[in-house]
Protein backbone atom coordinates (compact mmCIF):
# COMPACT_ATOMS: atom_id res chain seq x y z
CA UNK A 1 0.00 0.00 0.00
CA UNK A 2 2.66 2.39 -0.95
CA UNK A 3 1.78 5.84 -2.19
CA UNK A 4 -1.33 5.94 -0.12
CA UNK A 5 -1.19 8.05 2.98
CA UNK A 6 -3.71 7.55 5.69
CA UNK A 7 -5.14 10.61 7.38
CA UNK A 8 -3.58 11.25 10.72
CA UNK A 9 -5.30 12.72 13.70
CA UNK A 10 -3.71 16.14 14.13
CA UNK A 11 -4.11 17.92 17.37
CA UNK A 12 -3.33 21.56 17.70
CA UNK A 13 -3.46 24.19 20.40
CA UNK A 14 -4.77 26.70 17.90
CA UNK A 15 -8.48 27.40 17.73
CA UNK A 16 -10.21 26.04 14.68
CA UNK A 17 -11.83 29.39 13.92
CA UNK A 18 -9.55 31.99 12.37
CA UNK A 19 -9.65 35.44 13.97
CA UNK A 20 -11.31 38.19 11.98
CA UNK A 21 -9.06 40.85 10.46
CA UNK A 22 -11.55 43.66 11.07
CA UNK A 23 -10.93 45.97 14.01
CA UNK A 24 -13.15 45.46 17.03
CA UNK A 25 -16.29 47.60 17.32
CA UNK A 26 -15.53 51.09 18.53
CA UNK A 27 -11.92 51.01 17.29
CA UNK A 28 -12.66 53.69 14.71
CA UNK A 29 -13.65 56.07 17.50
CA UNK A 30 -10.38 55.39 19.30
CA UNK A 31 -8.60 58.72 19.55
CA UNK A 32 -5.18 57.40 20.58
CA UNK A 33 -2.53 58.64 18.21
CA UNK A 34 0.64 56.95 17.08
CA UNK A 35 3.91 58.90 17.03
CA UNK A 36 3.83 59.24 13.24
CA UNK A 37 0.35 60.71 13.47
CA UNK A 38 1.34 63.23 16.17
CA UNK A 39 4.69 64.19 14.69
CA UNK A 40 4.09 63.97 10.92
CA UNK A 41 0.50 63.63 9.74
CA UNK A 42 -1.25 66.19 11.94
CA UNK A 43 1.52 68.82 11.46
CA UNK A 44 1.21 68.26 7.71
CA UNK A 45 -2.51 69.10 7.91
CA UNK A 46 -1.61 72.13 10.03
CA UNK A 47 0.89 73.37 7.43
CA UNK A 48 -1.58 72.92 4.58
CA UNK A 49 -4.41 74.68 6.39
CA UNK A 50 -2.15 77.48 7.66
CA UNK A 51 -0.97 78.12 4.09
CA UNK A 52 -4.61 78.32 3.00
CA UNK A 53 -5.43 80.79 5.77
CA UNK A 54 -2.30 82.88 5.08
CA UNK A 55 -2.76 82.72 1.31
CA UNK A 56 -2.62 86.50 0.86
CA UNK A 57 0.80 86.64 2.56
CA UNK A 58 2.00 83.59 0.61
CA UNK A 59 1.00 85.30 -2.65
CA UNK A 60 2.66 88.57 -1.64
CA UNK A 61 5.92 86.78 -0.78
CA UNK A 62 5.80 84.74 -4.00
CA UNK A 63 5.16 87.86 -6.08
CA UNK A 64 8.04 89.69 -4.40
CA UNK A 65 10.43 86.78 -4.99
CA UNK A 66 9.47 86.53 -8.66
CA UNK A 67 9.91 90.27 -9.21
CA UNK A 68 13.28 90.67 -7.48
CA UNK A 69 15.08 87.49 -8.55
CA UNK A 70 18.37 86.86 -6.74
CA UNK A 71 18.01 89.85 -4.43
CA UNK A 72 14.88 88.38 -2.83
CA UNK A 73 16.76 87.62 0.40
CA UNK A 74 17.30 91.31 0.99
CA UNK A 75 14.30 92.91 -0.70
CA UNK A 76 11.54 90.56 0.50
CA UNK A 77 12.29 90.60 4.22
CA UNK A 78 9.06 92.43 5.07
CA UNK A 79 6.90 89.92 3.16
CA UNK A 80 8.89 86.98 4.54
CA UNK A 81 8.51 88.12 8.15
CA UNK A 82 4.77 88.77 7.64
CA UNK A 83 4.35 85.26 6.20
CA UNK A 84 6.42 83.70 8.98
CA UNK A 85 4.43 85.55 11.68
CA UNK A 86 1.16 84.38 10.16
CA UNK A 87 2.25 80.74 9.89
CA UNK A 88 3.87 80.61 13.36
CA UNK A 89 0.73 82.12 14.83
CA UNK A 90 -1.25 79.15 13.56
CA UNK A 91 1.44 76.57 14.39
CA UNK A 92 1.59 77.69 18.03
CA UNK A 93 -2.20 77.91 18.52
CA UNK A 94 -3.45 74.93 20.58
CA UNK A 95 -7.03 75.38 19.32
CA UNK A 96 -5.80 75.17 15.72
CA UNK A 97 -3.91 71.97 16.61
CA UNK A 98 -7.04 70.43 18.10
CA UNK A 99 -9.05 71.46 15.04
CA UNK A 100 -6.52 69.75 12.73
CA UNK A 101 -6.36 66.72 15.02
CA UNK A 102 -10.15 66.39 14.89
CA UNK A 103 -10.04 66.63 11.10
CA UNK A 104 -7.33 63.93 10.97
CA UNK A 105 -9.30 61.62 13.27
CA UNK A 106 -12.37 62.08 11.07
CA UNK A 107 -10.33 61.18 7.96
CA UNK A 108 -8.82 58.17 9.74
CA UNK A 109 -12.23 56.94 10.88
CA UNK A 110 -13.62 57.32 7.35
CA UNK A 111 -10.64 55.42 5.91
CA UNK A 112 -11.02 52.61 8.43
CA UNK A 113 -14.73 52.33 7.65
CA UNK A 114 -14.47 52.45 3.85
CA UNK A 115 -10.85 51.63 3.00
CA UNK A 116 -10.76 54.60 0.60
CA UNK A 117 -8.17 57.34 1.11
CA UNK A 118 -9.23 60.95 0.77
CA UNK A 119 -7.42 62.58 -2.14
CA UNK A 120 -5.64 65.85 -1.49
CA UNK A 121 -6.87 68.81 -3.45
CA UNK A 122 -4.07 70.72 -5.14
CA UNK A 123 -4.50 74.45 -4.79
CA UNK A 124 -2.90 76.83 -7.27
CA UNK A 125 -0.28 78.99 -5.52
CA UNK A 126 0.06 81.58 -8.25
CA UNK A 127 -3.68 82.30 -8.39
Amino acid sequence: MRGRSWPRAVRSCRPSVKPQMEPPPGAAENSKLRHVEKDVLIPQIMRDRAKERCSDKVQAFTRCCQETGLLMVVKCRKENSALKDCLVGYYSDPLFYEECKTEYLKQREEYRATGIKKKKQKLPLNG
Side-chain angles (χ1 to χ4, degrees):
M1 290 237 192
R2 285 190 179 208
R4 190 172 205 199
S5 61
W6 295 96
R8 290 189 229 158
V10 178
R11 293 187 182 185
S12 174
C13 297
R14 296 182 198 170
S16 61
V17 178
K18 292 184 180 180
Q20 294 181 354
M21 296 304 289
E22 295 178 26
E29 290 82 37
N30 189 358
S31 63
K32 289 185 179 180
L33 296 172
R34 298 175 294 153
H35 288 288
V36 71
E37 292 170 326
K38 287 181 194 174
D39 299 338
V40 177
L41 299 174
I42 293 174
Q44 182 178 9
I45 292 173
M46 290 177 72
R47 279 190 301 276
D48 294 342
R49 295 189 74 193
K51 283 181 186 175
E52 289 173 11
R53 293 184 179 187
C54 299
S55 65
D56 57 332
K57 292 172 180 58
V58 170
Q59 289 176 355
F61 180 68
T62 302
R63 193 176 322 109
C64 179
C65 290
Q66 289 173 345
E67 291 171 358
T68 57
L70 294 175
L71 296 175
M72 70 179 141
V73 176
V74 177
K75 292 193 175 187
C76 298
R77 285 184 182 165
K78 183 178 79 173
E79 290 85 353
N80 187 23
S81 64
L83 174 60
K84 196 182 303 184
D85 291 342
C86 182
L87 293 175
V88 169
Y90 283 114
Y91 296 158
S92 60
D93 184 10
L95 293 175
F96 184 66
Y97 176 82
E98 289 300 320
E99 184 180 318
C100 293
K101 177 181 166 185
T102 304
E103 179 184 333
Y104 172 76
L105 290 173
K106 191 184 339 174
Q107 289 175 2
R108 185 179 76 173
E109 181 180 341
E110 184 178 321
Y111 172 73
R112 287 181 177 177
T114 63
I116 300 171
K117 288 185 181 181
K118 180 183 175 193
K119 293 187 178 183
K120 291 184 181 179
Q121 180 182 0
K122 295 281 185 177
L123 296 175
L125 293 178
N126 297 336

